[in-house]
Amino acid sequence: MSEGYDPGCAVLSVHNLTKSFQGVDGPVPVLRGVSLNLGPGETLALTGESGSGKSTLLHLIGGLEQADSGTIDIDGTRLTGLSDRGRATLRRGTVGVIFQQFNLIPSLTVAENIAFQARLAGRYDRGVTADLADKLGLTAQLRKYPEQLSGGQQQRVAIARTLAARPRLVLADEPTGNLDEDTALRVLETLCDLAKETRSGLLMVTHSVQLASKLDRRLHLRSGVIT
Ligand SMILES: Nc1ncnc2c1ncn2[C@@H]1O[C@H](COP(=O)(O)OP(=O)(O)OP(=O)(O)O)[C@@H](O)[C@H]1O
Ligand SMILES: [Mg+2]
């Protein structure tokens, strides 16, 4: 176990995770024994060149794909032993994902999109939602529909939607990739503040050294291992 954490206390504990994809000449290893831990309220930046496996790692932790071997524990539950249904439940209630595709629901307003996941998780709170919309600069957009928003506004709605459900673990894949520098920094601050406030963990992929430096810890993925 890396860094000497007690995995029982960790929000996220990944041990010796491996994943290969089928290539033309057989399996191509993408992750070759990745281990990491994240404590309550801790924020971690994951960097690595394009194709190094960052999104793959987030997909495995988010329960969207299955690892070949190794273990993932989220808030004391072993994800790697769960059925599809169990993984879906954990995803709904415990893990919040912010991926590069926003997947907003086009027929719902911004306000409804933000509330949707929180309602599914049974944690909708009007005050929390309004506060998030304010912090993410979305208050004026609440009655609009996703198609009426810019790419950066849609990205912030996707972030608000995830945070409104107050997950124990937030997985974010370049969550500020569509934002200008100042807005990106503000959004990152909101993500970090919320992690501290709610003692949740944040694992964020970023290509930006500047953004990575704002987080508590940084890990680099190279040739399928953490360096
Ligand atoms: N479903 C899949 N089937 C086959 N190969 C895949 C699949 N998903 C990812 N890969 C391969 O795994 C490797 C890692 O991909 P991944 O998307 O995790 O990289 P990344 O670090 O997120 O890159 P980027 O910074 O460009 O987003 C790549 O070589 C990619 O082609
Ligand atoms: Mg990626």
Side-chain angles (χ1 to χ4, degrees):
M1 206 62 54
S2 58
E3 289 129 31
Y5 271 122
D6 173 1
C9 299
V11 174
L12 171 67
S13 181
V14 173
H15 187 63
N16 226 354
L17 206 63
T18 70
K19 177 75 177 172
S20 297
F21 287 113
Q22 202 56 43
V24 275
D25 300 319
V28 179
V30 174
L31 302 177
R32 313 175 197 237
V34 168
S35 299
L36 63 90
N37 287 292
L38 197 57
E42 197 172 30
T43 60
L44 174 63
L46 181 65
T47 56
E49 67 182 38
S50 183
S52 60
K54 305 181 298 295
S55 296
T56 302
L57 179 59
L58 257 55
H59 288 158
L60 296 179
I61 298 170
L64 303 170
E65 282 184 68
Q66 273 189 290
D68 297 336
S69 67
T71 57
I72 301 170
D73 291 272
I74 297 172
D75 213 20
T77 300
R78 179 141 301 183
L79 174 74
T80 29
L82 293 178
S83 61
D84 286 353
R85 199 190 157 120
R87 287 208 308 276
T89 306
L90 196 71
R91 204 156 62 222
R92 195 161 58 232
T94 311
V95 185
V97 296
I98 305 166
F99 285 144
Q100 283 160 309
Q101 308 78 7
F102 313 132
N103 297 324
L104 300 177
I105 301 168
S107 58
L108 298 183
T109 64
V110 166
E112 291 163 346
N113 263 285
I114 295 174
F116 186 78
Q117 220 155 308
R119 288 210 164 94
L120 274 185
R123 284 199 282 270
Y124 175 68
D125 181 302
R126 212 175 147 151
V128 166
T129 307
D131 188 44
L132 270 173
D134 178 45
K135 284 190 174 132
L136 293 168
L138 291 167
T139 305
Q141 322 297 333
L142 287 172
R143 286 160 184 235
K144 290 188 184 166
Y145 288 86
E147 65 176 14
Q148 298 171 304
L149 304 182
S150 72
Q153 288 167 337
Q154 290 184 34
Q155 187 163 41
R156 281 177 281 147
V157 176
I159 294 170
R161 174 186 58 181
T162 296
L163 299 182
R166 284 178 283 167
R168 289 289 298 140
L169 171 67
V170 175
L171 304 173
D173 204 342
E174 292 189 68
T176 59
N178 289 339
L179 305 177
D180 64 80
E181 220 169 279
D182 286 352
T183 312
L185 273 173
R186 261 206 330 271
V187 168
L188 185 68
E189 242 164 54
T190 303
L191 280 162
C192 290
D193 287 351
L194 219 76
K196 300 292 169 211
E197 256 172 62
T198 61
R199 312 252 318 135
S200 54
L202 170 67
L203 174 56
M204 186 181 96
V205 169
T206 181
H207 283 288
S208 158
V209 174
Q210 193 205 2
L211 293 182
S213 72
K214 305 276 176 199
L215 272 58
D216 297 330
R217 282 162 54 217
R218 284 151 292 281
L219 293 177
H220 191 77
L221 199 53
R222 181 177 291 131
S223 307
V225 292
I226 298 276
T227 58

